[in-house]
């Protein structure tokens, strides 16, 4: 007999939810990592083709994040347990 968490994990994988769940977790980790003030400048977050696209409405926040993208990318991938995102793009 399987445990319920094994069933849910298998169902998630079979239905293709793993990718979507990882995308949402990556976005949550990103927002938590950048700080509350910078997070207020984020107007859109999407993951397409393993790239986190971050739209900002504040040039200062964009400049600040441009210096931190490498560290943020490493942090997100470490939290997800492996290389999930390839890059972070700011606009």
């Amino acid at each position: 007999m399987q445990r319920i968490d094994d069933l849910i994990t298998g169902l998630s994988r079979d239905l293709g939810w793993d990718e979507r769940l990882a995308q949402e977790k990556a976005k949550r980790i990103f927002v938590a990592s950048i700080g509350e003030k910078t997070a207020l400048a984020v107007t859109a977050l999407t993951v397409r083709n393993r790239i986190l696209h971050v739209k900002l409405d504040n040039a200062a926040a964009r400049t600040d994040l441009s210096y931190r993208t490498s560290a943020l990318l490493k942090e997100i991938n470490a939290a997800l347990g492996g290389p999930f995102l390839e890059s972070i793009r700011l606009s």
Side-chain angles (χ1 to χ4, degrees), residues 1-83:
M1 182 171 266
Q2 289 185 323
R3 293 180 9 198
I4 189 74
D5 58 334
D6 293 335
L7 289 172
I8 291 172
T9 301
L11 180 63
S12 174
R13 184 181 50 251
D14 293 345
L15 294 175
W17 294 347
D18 285 349
E19 179 81 12
R20 183 69 177 137
L21 291 171
Q23 290 176 0
E24 292 304 315
K25 187 173 181 182
K27 291 191 285 188
R28 283 195 318 270
I29 295 165
F30 177 82
V31 170
S33 298
I34 63 174
E36 190 175 321
K37 186 176 179 182
T38 305
L40 292 173
V42 175
T43 59
L45 276 176
T46 57
V47 178
R48 288 188 312 263
N49 300 322
R50 299 204 178 263
I51 299 169
L52 178 63
H53 297 269
V54 183
K55 191 170 189 174
L56 299 145
D57 65 358
N58 183 303
R62 187 173 19 263
T63 300
D64 175 51
L65 286 177
S66 70
Y67 293 111
R68 299 171 49 198
T69 55
S70 179
L72 288 166
L73 184 63
K74 287 178 186 176
E75 182 179 344
I76 292 167
N77 282 331
L80 292 174

